[in-house]
Amino acid sequence: MARRHWVLVSVIILGTAGFGAYALRDRWLGRVETMLGWAPTEATAAQPAGRPAGGRRRPGRQSGQSEPVPVLVADAKASDVPVFIDGVGSVRPLSTVTIRPQVSGKLVELHFEEGQDVRKGDVLVRIDDAVYRAQLDQAIGKKAQDQALLQNAELALGLVEIHLEFMTAAQA
């Protein structure tokens, strides 16, 4: 019973689609004939007196000249054809790394591209070194200041030793 029901529904659907296509043929049939090369040219587009309205002229179906069918010509050639496979899935890299800088700062240059293979010791980024240069200059200046203080202290020690020698010589 269910099988007859589906057959009946299928026949009704196909009949409705066919009737709709026939009823609306003036809207779509001209474009299909043009694509297939069956469309009448401007010279033959005028309706003959005995022809019914809405009728179509196809090559070889009526007396008179048939229309030329357009033909395209192309040279045959061998070439590679790209193959694309669409699918659902995920891509996982062979390995991942976490980059931990030894110092922090503003990145100035990147020396790699995403997905590029890198090896141990490769320079990956350049960090702005202006802050570290300033700290180095401060440290060099502090060292020079400390050396000057050391020299002054050594001179003062030398003077104290001379003064002690003089005092012991004077008391004797």
Side-chain angles (χ1 to χ4, degrees):
M1 186 71 166
R3 187 174 183 175
R4 277 201 290 180
H5 175 71
W6 283 109
V7 170
L8 181 62
V9 169
S10 299
V11 168
I12 290 172
I13 290 173
L14 287 174
T16 304
F19 176 78
Y22 178 76
L24 300 174
R25 70 187 180 280
D26 290 334
R27 292 186 183 182
W28 61 268
L29 191 56
R31 286 182 285 211
V32 172
E33 286 178 344
T34 303
M35 285 191 311
L36 295 175
W38 294 348
T41 61
E42 291 182 21
T44 59
Q47 199 82 331
R51 193 165 176 199
R56 300 280 183 212
R57 181 188 176 279
R58 295 193 179 142
R61 294 208 176 174
Q62 293 183 356
S63 62
Q65 285 187 337
S66 63
E67 300 172 20
V69 177
V71 176
L72 300 175
V73 179
D75 293 332
K77 62 181 178 179
S79 64
D80 293 334
V81 178
V83 177
F84 297 99
I85 300 173
D86 293 331
V88 178
S90 62
V91 177
R92 293 175 47 197
L94 296 174
S95 61
T96 58
V97 295
T98 302
I99 299 174
R100 292 187 190 95
Q102 294 176 348
V103 294
S104 62
K106 181 179 176 183
L107 294 181
V108 177
E109 294 176 1
L110 289 176
H111 297 283
F112 71 96
E113 293 181 14
E114 187 174 341
Q116 175 185 344
D117 291 336
V118 293
R119 292 186 174 77
K120 183 177 181 179
D122 287 351
V123 176
L124 302 178
V125 296
R126 190 169 77 85
I127 297 175
D128 186 17
D129 59 349
V131 173
Y132 302 107
R133 286 185 189 272
Q135 289 176 353
L136 176 64
D137 291 341
Q138 284 179 346
I140 291 171
K142 180 70 172 149
K143 179 182 175 187
Q145 180 184 11
D146 291 344
Q147 284 178 342
L149 287 174
L150 175 64
Q151 287 175 353
N152 286 339
E154 287 174 346
L155 287 174
L157 177 63
L159 289 176
V160 168
E161 288 177 352
I162 293 174
H163 183 65
L164 285 176
E165 286 178 13
F166 179 71
M167 293 296 272
T168 50
Q171 287 178 357

